[in-house]
């Protein structure tokens, strides 16, 4: 009888303490966003790479917006969201990766690097300014112009994953 009372008291105490503790919202995507955060903003990424893909800046910007729209409850705003992103494309580079015996590349690698500034207005300690890099490999026999769009899509998906996880998942 005493054990049941003690157990009931402990459960009640735990319930009361958990009501006053710090809260973090979790989603099925792995995002942990403070409940005070209501909005996000993404400025158009500038393309500062030496080789410029004319659609890349808009594409990365829109994909990052879409990720936050579909995988969080945050609402988009034009400027100064609780989660605010800005950035630059700093690398768009094609380089050989697998050199054959006859010094001809068997494969090439498209690399894209994006420098991202993330400002978390709710918890400034979570803010960051860092560069994310991803790449995709393609056969050197392929015409780059024909595979460029699919490579860019693959790389941007990885970049957006990395940025989202760094900002919203506390990993």
């Amino acid at each position: 009888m005493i054990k049941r009372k003690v157990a009931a008291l402990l459960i009640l105490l735990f319930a009361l303490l958990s009501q006053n503790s710090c809260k973090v919202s979790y989603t099925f995507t792995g995002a942990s966003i403070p409940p005070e955060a209501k909005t996000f903003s993404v400025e158009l990424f500038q393309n500062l790479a030496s080789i410029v893909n004319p659609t890349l800046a808009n594409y990365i910007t829109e994909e990052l917006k879409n990720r936050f729209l579909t995988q969080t409850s945050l609402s988009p705003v034009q400027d100064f969201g609780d989660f605010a992103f800005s950035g630059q494309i700093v690398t768009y580079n094609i380089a050989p990766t697998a050199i054959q015996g006859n010094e001809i590349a068997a494969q090439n690698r498209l690399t894209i690097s994006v420098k991202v500034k993330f400002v978390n207005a709710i918890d400034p300690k979570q803010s960051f300014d860092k560069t994310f890099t991803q790449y995709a490999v393609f056969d050197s026999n392929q015409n780059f112009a024909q595979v460029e769009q699919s490579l860019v899509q693959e790389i941007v998906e990885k970049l957006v994953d990395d940025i989202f996880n760094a900002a919203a998942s506390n990993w």
Side-chain angles (χ1 to χ4, degrees), residues 17-164:
L17 289 175
S18 66
Q19 292 296 325
N20 293 328
S21 64
C22 184
K23 292 184 181 180
V24 174
S25 170
Y26 290 95
T27 67
F28 291 112
T29 62
S32 58
I33 297 174
E36 302 85 13
K38 304 293 183 210
T39 61
F40 75 93
S41 59
V42 181
E43 289 182 23
L44 180 64
F45 279 59
Q46 297 176 8
N47 199 335
L48 304 178
S50 57
I51 299 173
V52 174
N53 175 321
T55 62
L56 184 59
N58 191 56
Y59 185 55
I60 288 176
T61 303
E62 292 304 314
E63 287 300 305
L64 187 57
K65 285 180 185 178
N66 287 336
R67 179 65 55 93
F68 275 86
L69 278 172
T70 60
Q71 295 191 5
T72 72
S73 61
L74 300 177
S75 299
V77 294
Q78 190 69 27
D79 295 307
F80 308 111
D82 295 327
F83 279 25
F85 296 89
S86 60
Q88 303 92 29
I89 301 161
V90 293
T91 303
Y92 189 90
N93 184 33
I94 304 159
T97 59
I99 305 298
Q100 298 174 333
N102 56 3
E103 295 187 19
I104 296 176
Q107 292 182 322
N108 291 318
R109 175 186 296 180
L110 172 62
T111 302
I112 301 174
S113 296
V114 181
K115 184 175 182 188
V116 177
K117 181 176 182 180
F118 167 63
V119 177
N120 183 330
I122 305 301
D123 184 2
K125 290 180 282 183
Q126 298 296 321
S127 299
F128 59 78
D129 191 351
K130 66 185 201 176
T131 301
F132 297 87
T133 301
Q134 287 291 345
Y135 65 88
V137 176
F138 62 100
D139 192 292
S140 63
N141 293 329
Q142 293 177 298
N143 181 337
F144 179 69
Q146 292 176 333
V147 297
E148 183 177 15
Q149 184 177 355
S150 64
L151 295 172
V152 167
Q153 288 174 344
E154 177 184 338
I155 295 168
V156 168
E157 184 176 331
K158 292 178 197 176
L159 287 168
V160 168
D161 282 346
D162 290 347
I163 297 165
F164 180 83

